[in-house]
């Protein structure tokens, strides 16, 4: 019997532990730990929904960092914008000048371009953006602006126009300079603008490109340095990301390992920036860097944990406002002039967002349908999701009778009218009071003070004859 009692006690304790564990498990599942605790193993990072320019994740995104060869995104952007303006063409031939290797120190990435060599703008762009050739950037700078210093000035001007407030360029390619810096957020802005151009997007998503033979060189076969796009340098497929569409690698001892990447999946586009990635060595031999895997994880994090949601529906009524001078109804319904959407974590419910509604206390008819009556602002956890005008959902006509009565009421509510009425009333009261006090007595006095009336007694008093 003791044996059975022991077994019963064991199963009872087990069932109690199970019943306690289940609610704990459910509670754990309800907490989106993957979203709230996600981190990137790098010094700075940012993830942007490129379709709507919305930041989904950031980590030290505004701290100053060295961009290394990600700088070439700006060089490529300015070149393509010059092409769009008709100042250059992709097929224009450029003769490389003596300033080809200015600012490029030992160990800088090149493709062995030579002074006097002739290449097209297309060839130079591919050299700069695919294998990261520094000297190709200098050649493009001269072609666009006439000189490297003039081009660098344009780079900083364009950065300012894009809102890159933490950026300063000193060269065209990103070879280390203490005064050449940027931020993860600024890089995302630069990449977002560059990826709007089909030519830029096509180049940075290319696995390879063949530069035809020139007057000073045989043909060159270029391979992308981005392991998410090409496995030429790694020799492995595990880092390849089937949704990757660019953008640019960069590395120097001072900058660390950096990658600006983009991916397109199920009709959605994400841009990720990872700066200061780590690398490992075994017995002094280079083994691997993590900036590719961290970028891939960051992009997948965006696709898997965020979705487009309606923050404010245009068709839903927000409030009502009392209305006067209308015979039909005494209120008007207001609704948003447009809807608001945002890319949000899957666990977040927009119904919990804060709403600040600004409306008048009352209105007078007439009111037109669509008339702007106020505003509504949506926010959550310190983030502003936008402000929208509130408009009348229906039109209300004014009652002429109610309007006339209201005008009369308003007339008699004027101060000067009130004072005038008060003065008239006072005058009437004074007149009535004076008449009441002095009027009847004065009449009696006037009658008493006159000559006595003549009385005929019937006798004739004549002259005797």
């Amino acid at each position: 019997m003791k044996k059975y009692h022991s077994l019963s006690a064991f199963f009872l304790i087990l069932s109690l532990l199970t019943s306690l564990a289940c609610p704990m498990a459910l509670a754990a599942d309800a907490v989106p730990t993957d979203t709230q605790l996600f981190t990137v193993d790098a010094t700075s990072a940012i993830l942007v929904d490129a379709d709507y320019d919305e930041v989904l994740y950031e980590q030290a995104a505004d701290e100053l960092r060295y961009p290394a060869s990600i700088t070439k995104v700006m060089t490529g952007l300015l070149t393509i914008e010059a092409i769009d303006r008709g100042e250059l063409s992709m097929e224009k031939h450029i003769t490389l000048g003596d300033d080809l290797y200015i600012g490029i120190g030992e160990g800088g990435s090149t493709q062995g371009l030579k002074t006097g060599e002739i290449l097209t703008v297309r060839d130079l762009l591919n050299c700069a953006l695919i294998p990261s050739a520094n000297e190709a950037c200098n050649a493009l700078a001269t072609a666009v602006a006439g000189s490297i210093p003039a081009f660098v000035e344009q780079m900083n001007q364009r950065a300012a126009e894009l809102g890159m407030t933490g950026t300063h360029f000193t060269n065209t390619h990103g070879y280390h300079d203490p005064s050449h810096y940027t931020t993860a957020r600024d890089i995302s802005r630069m990449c977002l603008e560059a990826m709007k151009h089909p030519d830029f997007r096509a180049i940075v998503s290319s696995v390879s490109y063949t530069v035809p033979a020139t007057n000073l060189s045989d043909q060159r076969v270029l391979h992308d340095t981005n392991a998410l796009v090409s496995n030429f340098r790694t020799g492995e497929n595990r880092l390849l990301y089937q949704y990757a569409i660019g953008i640019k690698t960069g590395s120097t001892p001072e900058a660390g390992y950096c990658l600006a990447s983009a991916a397109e999946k199920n009709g959605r586009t994400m841009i990720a920036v990872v700066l200061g990635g780590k690398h490992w060595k075994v017995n002094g031999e280079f083994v691997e860097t993590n900036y590719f895997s961290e970028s891939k994880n960051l992009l997948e994090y965006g696709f898997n944990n965020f979705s487009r949601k309606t923050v404010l529906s245009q068709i839903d009524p927000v409030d009502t406002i009392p209305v006067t001078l209308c015979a039909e109804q005494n209120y008007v319904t207001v609704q948003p002039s447009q809807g608001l959407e945002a890319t949000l974590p899957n666990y977040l419910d927009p119904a919990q967002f804060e709403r600040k509604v600004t409306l008048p206390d009352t209105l007078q008819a007439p009111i037109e349908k669509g008339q702007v009556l106020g505003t509504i602002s949506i926010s959550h956890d310190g983030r502003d999701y936008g402000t929208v005008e509130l408009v009348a959902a229906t039109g209300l006509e004014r009652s002429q009778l109610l309007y006339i009565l209201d005008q009369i009421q308003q007339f008699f509510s004027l101060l000067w009218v009130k004072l005038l009425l008060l003065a008239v009333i006072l005058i009437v009261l004074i007149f009535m009071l004076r008449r009441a006090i002095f009027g009847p007595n004065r009449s009696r006095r006037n009658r008493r003070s006159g000559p006595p009336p003549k009385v005929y007694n019937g006798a004739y008093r004549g002259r005797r004859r």
Side-chain angles (χ1 to χ4, degrees), residues 88-97 100 111-128 133 135-136 139-140 143 209-220 222:
L88 287 177
S89 70
M90 280 288 193
E91 309 311 322
K92 181 177 180 178
H93 287 81
I94 305 297
T95 302
L96 308 186
L100 198 58
Q111 279 297 304
L113 303 181
K114 304 175 181 65
T115 298
E117 190 170 4
I118 301 174
L119 292 89
T120 65
V121 172
R122 185 186 302 277
D123 293 337
L124 290 171
L125 277 169
N126 279 274
C127 285
E135 76 276 32
L140 289 169
Y209 178 83
T210 299
V211 179
T214 69
N215 59 323
L216 297 178
S217 173
D218 295 332
Q219 73 173 22
R220 299 174 175 91
L222 313 177

Side-chain angles (χ1 to χ4, degrees), residues 157-177:
Q157 180 181 346
R158 192 70 177 101
E161 292 171 354
L162 294 174
M164 299 169 61
T165 57
T167 296
H168 182 259
F169 296 116
T170 61
N171 58 58
T172 67
H173 37 68
Y175 192 86
H176 180 67
D177 183 318

